[in-house]
Amino acid sequence: MAGTNRALVTGATGYIASHLIPALAEAGWDVLATGRRREPPPLPVGVDYASANLVKDDPWVFSGLMERVTHVFHLAGASSSLSDQREMEQVNIDGTRRLLQAAQPWPIERFVHMSSTSVYGEEVELPSPVPEDVERHPSRGYGKAKDGAERMVEEFAAGGLPTVVVRPVTVYGPGNVKLLASAILDVAIERFAGLDRIAVHATPIEQRLCHVDDVVAAAIHLATADGAVGRAFNVVLPQYPSSHEVAGMVADAFGLPVELVDDPDGGLPYDARAETHGRMVEAGMEPRILLSKERFRFLRKANRNNRLSVDALLGTGFEFTQTDLPASIAATVDWYRSNHWVLG
Ligand SMILES: NC(=O)c1ccc[n+]([C@@H]2O[C@H](COP(=O)([O-])OP(=O)(O)OC[C@H]3O[C@@H](n4cnc5c(N)ncnc54)[C@H](OP(=O)(O)O)[C@@H]3O)[C@@H](O)[C@H]2O)c1
């Protein structure tokens, strides 16, 4: 019952954890947050913090944390935006193995592992929508490292640890600094530079997204839902807007129209974007969102395995809340504006 549940959340300084920790506390869980930094991030009142490095610290450090909790939400991970292949493997695979080893002797009720849909890969065509039990063919370094972590989870699940694997797609929402956030920044930059329309490549590319509130709600739901143990769950909003539609939603939030153009590199070139970005920072913008070298990088990524089944998740009784994508993206832009992460 909520209130008696005690959660260990790894990756406490990360983006998804910054939403999960307050949501757990709000729902009455006791929360022990852990991250590798000595100083805790801002945490709700009553949430404890323990500094621990998954790769470097002795196993007894993690064993000591397991003693205090009933559930684990393992969110710590390294991705290609900040880490090389070696670090991605160390943190995702070795770090996950060490955490699982620490959990094994304790009566942990559920070990929720935050994986990623990158484990499916893009080179081998999979059934559409992709079900969770398909053979995985990760194609890039990050996907391979996340797949390696899942293999560790599977090994310990076979040994009796009650695990659940959560596989979200690209997560967006308040506080996010990459992917859709970078596309939002690109539009803000062009508006600040005085452009009166947003150029988008005429060839549409199907997108997929999930709001951080839905990822957090799914993780909490799966930590207690009957029938979830030993399984993996895709977490993606079952709507697939085109790049034109997503760009239109973002441009609309800045009061600009979209213009479809033949040039895939339409809009401002990088140097002009970087120069405008500098002026925005001088004008008071917090430079938190990553400025991608490639304009609208996120919207350009086609994936032959784009559509994912959420039958497993819906079958546990889960319901998505952020289903009105234009409203949800507009609210996200409003959050960036009011926190001065974008101007205009
Ligand atoms: N965001 C997405 O769109 C998305 C989509 C699918 C799956 N996921 C998965 O969801 C999880 C959380 O994602 P996120 O976006 O919140 O990630 P994030 O913001 O990059 O945070 C990653 C966290 O892992 C911590 N970490 C890295 N190396 C560590 C180590 N050696 N020991 C302890 N902690 C370590 C980081 O600590 P520092 O703050 O010190 O670096 C940070 O707290 C990840 O496993 C990711 O693969 C994310």
Side-chain angles (χ1 to χ4, degrees):
M1 218 178 80
T4 56
N5 288 335
R6 295 187 304 278
L8 175 69
V9 179
T10 71
T13 52
Y15 167 54
I16 298 177
S18 74
H19 289 261
L20 175 65
I21 292 168
L24 284 167
E26 176 92 350
W29 290 57
D30 287 342
V31 184
L32 172 56
T34 178
R36 62 182 163 176
R37 301 184 200 191
R38 275 191 190 285
E39 290 301 317
L43 293 170
V45 176
V47 170
D48 283 346
Y49 179 78
S51 165
N53 190 312
L54 277 168
V55 175
K56 294 183 182 153
D57 280 338
D58 285 338
W60 61 261
V61 172
F62 293 97
S63 189
L65 300 180
M66 294 299 170
E67 191 179 0
R68 298 168 56 184
V69 300
T70 54
H71 292 68
V72 177
F73 292 85
H74 177 34
L75 271 55
S79 69
S80 53
S81 45
L82 292 176
S83 304
D84 60 18
Q85 188 61 28
R86 189 163 166 271
E87 189 178 19
M88 280 199 287
E89 283 171 18
Q90 275 181 340
V91 177
N92 292 300
I93 305 177
D94 301 342
T96 298
R97 177 178 47 76
R98 298 177 89 229
L99 197 68
L100 289 159
Q101 273 168 343
Q104 197 175 34
W106 298 100
I108 297 296
E109 291 174 29
R110 223 161 276 192
F111 186 111
V112 179
H113 173 70
M114 194 62 75
S115 184
S116 154
T117 51
S118 63
V119 297
Y120 295 123
E122 295 162 30
E123 279 152 20
V124 176
E125 187 160 357
L126 302 175
S128 181
V130 182
E132 288 85 348
D133 57 0
V134 78
E135 191 183 337
R136 308 189 294 269
H137 297 273
S139 27
R140 301 204 184 97
Y142 171 66
K144 286 180 182 165
K146 294 301 283 186
D147 182 58
E150 280 205 28
R151 288 181 198 284
M152 292 295 158
V153 173
E154 284 159 2
E155 205 178 298
F156 282 79
L161 193 71
T163 63
V164 175
V165 171
V166 182
R167 294 183 188 142
V169 288
T170 304
V171 184
Y172 76 97
N176 188 28
V177 298
K178 52 192 182 182
L179 305 163
L180 181 65
S182 297
I184 290 171
L185 177 64
D186 286 338
V187 173
I189 286 173
E190 295 195 348
R191 186 174 192 273
F192 194 85
L195 273 63
D196 62 359
R197 60 202 58 223
I198 298 300
V200 178
H201 190 213
T203 306
I205 295 175
E206 188 179 90
Q207 306 291 311
R208 58 186 191 186
L209 285 162
C210 192
H211 192 277
V212 67
D213 285 357
D214 280 327
V215 175
V216 161
I220 297 175
H221 169 77
L222 292 170
T224 54
D226 289 337
V229 168
R231 299 172 66 197
F233 296 87
N234 295 329
V235 184
V236 52
L237 186 67
Q239 294 175 22
Y240 296 91
S242 73
S243 47
H244 299 171
E245 288 167 322
V246 174
M249 292 171 204
V250 177
D252 203 40
F254 286 91
L256 293 174
V258 156
E259 182 183 25
L260 299 183
V261 296
D262 292 333
D263 179 4
D265 297 318
L268 288 183
Y270 177 70
D271 287 353
R273 286 164 53 234
E275 184 271 326
T276 309
H277 185 265
R279 284 195 287 120
M280 292 167 88
V281 174
E282 274 170 28
M285 184 176 79
E286 290 267 354
R288 301 286 286 269
I289 301 176
L290 296 179
L291 174 64
S292 59
K293 205 137 204 187
E294 192 183 9
R295 178 182 176 273
F296 283 166
R297 180 165 183 271
F298 164 68
L299 295 175
R300 295 182 181 205
K301 284 204 300 191
N303 182 346
R304 72 164 80 186
N305 297 317
N306 201 49
R307 295 199 175 206
L308 305 165
S309 171
V310 283
D311 289 350
L313 181 61
L314 300 179
T316 65
F318 181 77
E319 287 177 21
F320 287 88
T321 60
Q322 298 284 324
T323 52
D324 182 345
L325 209 42
S328 180
I329 288 181
T332 301
V333 172
D334 279 348
W335 186 92
Y336 288 131
R337 248 191 217 118
S338 54
N339 286 276
H340 306 288
W341 288 22
V342 297
L343 303 181

